[in-house]
């Protein structure tokens, strides 16, 4: 029997060199602790599902690249809304760290999709380029040409099973819900019942949490952030985390979340009311900022 393919998913690294960094936690420090945990039981490969840099700046990718290199296993990256395309491609890839569109390994086809539609604009001379407000505008969406490409890969029948990696998860909770995106992924999942390579699951980040969802009968694995995470059901902060997978030759997948219960970050503070209401979609960003400002003004 073929040994399962062992994969670690890291997401939402948010490396930062800005004064004050990412805020709340030092993401270089949390990443170093996650990396040590990964190296204790090295996988066959690592997939990084975006928001690698916090502000998409070259120096953030240099920092991230060096940190990922130290994992000492092949690393496959895709970009999130916090990643800016030119800097991502110019400063992150290096031997052993690549940003590819697909990977065939054993019985499995890994597809690395771009869910940043909305944060991209078409420039007649440059093609698809980042909108200056990509961070805000890329909230989960797939352009028709990307969807067609994904479907084509599943039709080609290059492997027995497929796994789709994205930055934004479909079937996301609260303020992260994107109905049009969910409809696009549902359409893709629906067609794969008849494609040569069936889509077995989707792995994504962006939401900084570790739950499992489902869309059109396809499981969706949400990956925690290696920095700051949230338990949406309990409305509390969580330690940094990541996911470990086993991809088996029969198409089944084992998936688990690893929380880094290091004493530096194992506090599970309840989130303030304004954050809970914002994250659940009951407050707009503007209303949340007003509420926070009122609280700041009222505090001594
Ligand atoms: Fe993120
Ligand atoms: Fe994101």
């Amino acid at each position: 029997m073929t040994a399962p393919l062992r994969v670690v998913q890291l997401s939402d690294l948010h490396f930062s060199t800005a004064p004050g960094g990412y805020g709340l936690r030092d993401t270089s420090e949390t990443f170093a602790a996650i990396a040590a945990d990964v190296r204790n039981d090295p996988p066959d490969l690592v997939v990084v599902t975006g928001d690698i840099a916090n502000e998409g700046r070259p120096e953030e990718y240099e920092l991230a690249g060096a940190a990922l290199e130290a994992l000492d296993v092949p690393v496959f990256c895709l970009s999130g809304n916090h990643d800016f395309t030119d800097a991502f491609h110019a400063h992150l890839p290096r031997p052993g760290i690549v940003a590819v569109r697909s990977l065939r390994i054993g019985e499995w086809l890994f597809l690395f999709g771009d869910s940043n539609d909305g944060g991209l604009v078409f420039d007649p001379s440059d093609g698809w380029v980042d909108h200056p407000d990509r961070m805000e505008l890329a909230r989960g969406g797939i352009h028709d040409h990307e969807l067609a490409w994904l479907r084509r890969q599943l039709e080609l029948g290059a492997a027995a099973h497929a796994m789709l990696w994205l930055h934004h998860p479909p079937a996301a909770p609260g303020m992260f819900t994107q109905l049009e995106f969910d409809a696009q992924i549902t359409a893709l999942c629906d067609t794969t019942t008849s494609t040569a390579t069936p889509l077995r699951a989707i792995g994504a980040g962006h939401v900084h949490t570790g739950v499992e969802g489902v869309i059109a009968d396809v499981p969706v694995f949400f990956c925690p952030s290696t920095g700051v995470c949230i338990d949406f059901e309990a409305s509390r902060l969580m330690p940094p985390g990541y996911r470990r997978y086993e991809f088996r030759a029969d198409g089944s997948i084992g998936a688990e979340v690893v929380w880094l219960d290091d004493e530096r970050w194992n506090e599970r503070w309840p989130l303030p009311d304004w954050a809970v209401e914002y994250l659940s979609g009951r407050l707009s960003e503007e209303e949340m900022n007003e509420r926070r400002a009122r609280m700041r003004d009222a505090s001594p």
Side-chain angles (χ1 to χ4, degrees):
M1 202 180 87
T2 328
L5 174 67
R6 299 173 72 241
V7 173
V8 156
Q9 181 189 9
L10 305 176
S11 201
D12 296 83
L13 286 50
H14 289 273
F15 272 97
S16 175
T17 55
Y22 182 59
L24 208 58
R25 286 178 186 148
D26 177 335
T27 48
S28 291
E29 210 185 341
T30 57
F31 186 87
I34 294 263
D37 206 64
V38 171
R39 278 196 303 266
N40 276 339
D41 183 12
D44 297 310
L45 61 94
V46 167
V47 171
V48 187
T49 46
D51 283 2
I52 294 167
N54 191 43
E55 293 175 50
R57 290 186 291 132
E59 56 272 31
E60 294 174 332
Y61 292 113
E62 294 295 341
L63 203 58
L68 289 168
E69 245 175 344
L71 291 173
D72 220 16
V73 289
V75 177
F76 297 84
C77 301
L78 57 76
S79 67
N81 53 312
H82 281 251
D83 295 304
F84 277 77
T85 308
D86 287 351
F88 175 93
H89 288 291
H91 294 272
L92 183 63
R94 55 198 69 200
I97 302 178
V98 294
V100 294
R101 304 288 284 127
S102 66
L103 169 72
R104 210 194 100 179
I105 184 158
E107 301 294 320
W108 283 86
L109 172 69
F110 282 3
L111 296 172
F112 301 89
D114 188 341
S115 59
N116 295 293
D117 191 31
L120 301 166
V121 283
F122 191 76
D123 181 293
S125 51
D126 286 339
W128 291 97
V129 294
D130 293 319
H131 188 287
D133 291 329
R134 171 183 169 119
M135 240 183 258
E136 289 302 317
L137 296 177
R139 294 181 167 214
I142 288 203
H143 194 279
D144 286 347
H145 63 71
E146 179 74 358
L147 211 51
W149 178 82
L150 289 171
R151 191 169 291 123
R152 180 78 186 122
Q153 303 315 302
L154 298 170
E155 284 165 356
L156 286 172
H161 318 287
M163 172 77 181
L164 172 59
W165 302 100
L166 297 167
H167 177 59
H168 303 80
M175 64 158 285
F176 297 99
T177 306
Q178 295 294 324
L179 294 177
E180 201 180 320
F181 179 52
D182 289 353
Q184 290 174 307
I185 298 294
T186 299
L188 179 72
C189 293
D190 283 346
T191 61
T192 72
T193 51
S194 59
T195 51
T197 303
L199 181 61
R200 299 294 186 201
I202 297 170
H206 185 60
V207 183
H208 294 221
T209 195
V211 296
E212 284 180 28
V214 67
I215 188 149
D217 295 332
V218 173
V220 181
F221 299 109
F222 291 61
C223 185
S225 162
T226 60
V228 177
C229 299
I230 291 167
D231 177 337
F232 284 86
E233 276 196 8
S235 301
R236 61 185 185 176
L237 193 73
M238 293 293 284
Y242 69 99
R243 269 192 183 272
R244 283 186 182 269
Y245 297 87
E246 270 191 12
F247 292 90
R248 305 178 190 115
D250 66 0
S252 64
I253 300 171
E256 61 164 351
V257 170
V258 181
W259 295 111
L260 201 76
D261 265 327
D262 185 302
E263 61 182 18
R264 286 170 289 179
W265 308 296
N266 64 2
E267 71 287 321
R268 285 168 159 81
W269 303 327
L271 297 179
D273 289 349
W274 57 261
V276 175
E277 289 185 47
Y278 172 62
L279 292 168
S280 63
R282 297 197 298 274
L283 277 189
S284 69
E285 198 167 334
E286 206 176 313
E287 288 166 331
M288 173 193 70
N289 287 332
E290 276 173 24
R291 180 89 74 88
R292 289 177 73 186
R294 277 207 303 276
M295 285 179 59
R296 266 199 308 271
D297 293 347
S299 65

